[in-house]
Amino acid sequence: MGWTHDGAEDHEGYVTCVLADGRGTSASTGGGVLLMREPPEQIELDRQAGWEIRPADPGNANSRLYVVAPWDAVVAWQSACDCGWHGRSIKTTPESEGESYFGQPCPEIVENALMEDWSAHVRPMIATQEIAELWREARELDLRLAAAVQKQRQAGISWAKIGQAAGGMTAQGAQQRWGTSSIDVERVLRAGGVVPHDIRPQLPEHRGDDSA
Ligand SMILES: [Zn+2]
């Protein structure tokens, strides 16, 4: 039931159920929320509170134990993300006016509101991820172009002809752009036109600076 978005693969959002004592979990079952990593002392306290203690693996006597906290132990829902981000909380019992959701699973209206917060959290990353991908593609094309030019130069093709092929540049323009390229053409061609990561040529008119 996690929220995902293309372009933000490191981010999966979900609703965290927050208990009165501050513990939180995104796992739930029919009767309430599942706390799956509690230490033995805490499990004993929860047992004394009357909460159900359930073996994770019923067939195994040494199974790890899950605590099932009833829905009325949940005081708030909060949006969260795998990256560690947390959004706002919505209380199950509103302080003043508003509908009470005490004692029930997270209603759709609350989940949608929390998902909106998470969407706002990933939106800038989706935008910058697209720029980063396009930048990588543009950079790779720059390098492949330089490799192709160098290959033709080695085959004896004139700067005039190369410039003509490159959108009608002058011979001088083509030479200025690619004449001092230090790219390792052979390696690029061996890699099927894909530029190995450790090749970092200094192109005279490179479109940017990736050191920042
Ligand atoms: Zn995130």
Side-chain angles (χ1 to χ4, degrees):
M1 84 161 220
W3 311 313
T4 55
H5 201 298
D6 288 344
E9 275 69 26
D10 295 338
H11 300 266
E12 180 167 352
Y14 47 89
V15 174
T16 294
C17 304
V18 182
L19 304 186
D21 59 15
R23 283 184 286 169
T25 176
S26 62
S28 63
T29 177
V33 299
L34 275 177
L35 298 156
M36 300 189 287
R37 295 177 192 285
E38 300 307 291
E41 319 83 71
Q42 183 62 54
I43 289 175
E44 193 45 44
L45 287 173
D46 291 339
R47 191 195 306 275
Q48 287 165 19
W51 293 358
E52 182 192 343
I53 311 299
R54 178 189 296 180
D57 175 8
N60 176 0
N62 296 316
S63 169
R64 183 215 295 258
L65 296 173
Y66 289 170
V67 173
V68 184
W71 285 112
D72 60 15
V74 177
V75 295
W77 294 289
Q78 186 175 31
S79 49
C81 184
D82 273 349
C83 71
W85 171 89
H86 287 277
R88 69 179 158 145
S89 307
I90 295 179
K91 291 193 163 90
T92 54
T93 306
E95 273 152 359
S96 51
E97 59 204 45
E99 199 169 342
S100 171
Y101 302 112
F102 179 76
Q104 55 172 290
C106 185
E108 204 176 318
I109 187 170
V110 171
E111 182 171 348
N112 288 342
L114 295 177
M115 187 173 69
E116 271 305 303
D117 290 355
W118 176 82
S119 297
H121 154 65
V122 295
R123 207 168 287 135
M125 292 162 222
I126 293 162
T128 55
Q129 175 130 346
E130 186 186 11
I131 290 168
E133 275 166 15
L134 289 172
W135 167 250
R136 268 194 298 277
E137 284 173 27
R139 183 183 173 82
E140 181 152 316
L141 280 176
D142 268 349
L143 294 168
R144 286 176 57 191
L145 185 54
V149 168
Q150 206 171 335
K151 185 181 166 198
Q152 295 311 318
R153 284 294 299 158
Q154 285 169 357
I157 304 298
S158 69
W159 283 117
K161 284 234 186 295
I162 290 168
Q164 204 174 4
M169 291 167 81
T170 62
Q172 195 193 9
Q175 189 169 10
Q176 275 171 1
R177 174 155 181 172
W178 293 296
T180 60
S181 170
S182 61
I183 193 165
D184 186 340
V185 176
E186 289 304 318
R187 285 189 59 204
V188 172
L189 294 177
R190 268 203 309 278
V194 177
V195 180
H197 290 300
D198 55 336
I199 290 185
R200 289 289 180 270
Q202 300 300 309
L203 299 179
E205 289 183 11
H206 197 59
R207 278 177 274 166
D209 175 13
D210 62 1
S211 65

